Amino acid sequence: SQELEQSPQSLIVQEGKNLTINCTSSKTLYGLYWYKQKYGEGLIFLMMLQKGGEEKSHEKITAKLDEKKQQSSLHITASQPSHAGIYLCGAALNNNDMRFGAGTRLTVKP
Amino acid sequence: GAVVSQHPSWVICKSGTSVKIECRSLDFQATTMFWYRQFPKQSLMLMATSNEGSKATYEQGVEKDKFLINHASLTLSTLTVTSAHPEDSSFYICSARDMTNYGYTFGSGTRLTVV
């Protein structure tokens, strides 16, 4: 079972559209990590959030962590085909081992 | 930045044989290393957590006698899949936690195919 609920499981968007992926935990998160992956390949680190209310941006990707540190969102603005892949949220729920959400498979149609 | 080397990147073995996967932190010392397994179209599932010099802690449902983990030094952990079966075919990926900044760094993964 997943201790991190990630939604949606899959997403198909038209190129240029914005999208949001959510990650929720019933426990307080010591650190929330966002990764991108293509199956069978390694993880690409995107962002890490630690403080309640924190928001970080890199290029067209913005990640936020709520004040309670139990929910995070990843927002992509003006999506491009290069954004396609599997997005994973991960968290050290007991401040040590990192566990992952179920993942969101993103397809961007040209 | 921190780098974790994992190899082999892919391996094909016959049923009944054993396969060893290495995970090495190249430029930092790792207090803890983690092993994950990923089946197609699924997320990464934590298999076990290993601390240098002590026995690994396995997640529920993971057979410790089948998936042998050795963490002999602060820079090396190995996962040995013993008596491999086709259902063990999967993508295995390791992660190392830096003991100075507590950051996580992932290896590039190993695709295991058991025939």
Side-chain angles (χ1 to χ4, degrees):
Chain A
S1 64
Q2 301 289 146
E3 293 174 270
L4 290 174
E5 295 292 329
Q6 189 174 340
S7 63
Q9 288 189 347
S10 66
L11 198 51
I12 303 173
V13 300
Q14 201 68 39
E15 182 177 359
K17 295 295 184 182
N18 303 336
L19 63 104
T20 300
I21 300 169
N22 294 297
C23 183
T24 304
S25 171
S26 58
K27 302 177 183 178
T28 299
L29 303 171
Y30 288 96
L32 191 289
Y33 300 74
W34 284 100
Y35 294 90
K36 181 184 175 185
Q37 185 200 27
K38 293 184 179 180
Y39 174 70
E41 298 182 14
L43 303 181
I44 300 171
F45 172 75
L46 296 176
M47 271 171 274
M48 190 265 283
L49 306 166
Q50 276 188 311
K51 299 176 183 177
E54 188 173 11
E55 179 176 322
K56 289 186 178 178
S57 294
H58 178 68
E59 297 182 343
K60 295 183 178 181
I61 301 177
T62 300
K64 300 178 184 180
L65 182 62
D66 74 336
E67 291 289 344
K68 289 185 177 180
K69 299 201 295 182
Q70 289 183 297
Q71 186 172 12
S72 178
S73 61
L74 185 80
H75 185 77
I76 299 178
T77 304
S79 58
Q80 301 170 349
S82 60
H83 287 128
I86 302 168
Y87 288 81
L88 295 163
C89 65
L93 293 173
N94 61 0
N95 204 25
N96 190 27
D97 51 299
M98 183 184 296
R99 296 168 191 268
F100 291 88
T104 297
R105 184 178 299 271
L106 173 64
T107 303
V108 180
K109 290 187 172 182
Chain B
V3 177
V4 168
S5 173
Q6 182 176 343
H7 74 89
S9 55
W10 62 270
V11 57
I12 302 173
C13 70
K14 291 184 178 180
S15 288
T17 61
S18 295
V19 174
K20 180 185 284 188
I21 302 170
E22 284 193 358
C23 181
R24 193 181 298 269
S25 57
L26 297 185
D27 48 5
F28 66 97
Q29 292 183 325
T31 48
T32 310
M33 289 190 174
F34 309 92
W35 288 95
Y36 297 84
R37 179 170 52 186
Q38 185 181 35
F39 291 109
K41 297 188 178 182
Q42 293 187 23
S43 186
L44 277 70
M45 296 302 294
L46 181 65
M47 297 175 67
T49 301
S50 72
N51 293 293
E52 183 263 340
S54 62
K55 290 184 178 180
T57 302
Y58 290 82
E59 293 297 300
Q60 192 173 6
V62 178
E63 298 175 58
K64 62 180 181 179
D65 294 330
K66 180 169 187 59
F67 298 99
L68 300 179
I69 291 173
N70 183 278
H71 193 163
S73 76
L74 286 172
T75 59
L76 175 65
S77 177
T78 60
L79 169 69
T80 301
V81 183
T82 62
S83 187
H85 290 133
E87 55 265 32
D88 297 325
S89 298
S90 187
F91 185 66
Y92 294 86
I93 191 166
C94 69
S95 172
R97 194 170 195 194
D98 191 326
M99 63 188 298
T100 57
N101 61 26
Y102 302 106
Y104 298 88
T105 303
F106 286 83
S108 54
T110 298
R111 182 188 295 276
L112 170 64
T113 303
V114 185
V115 298

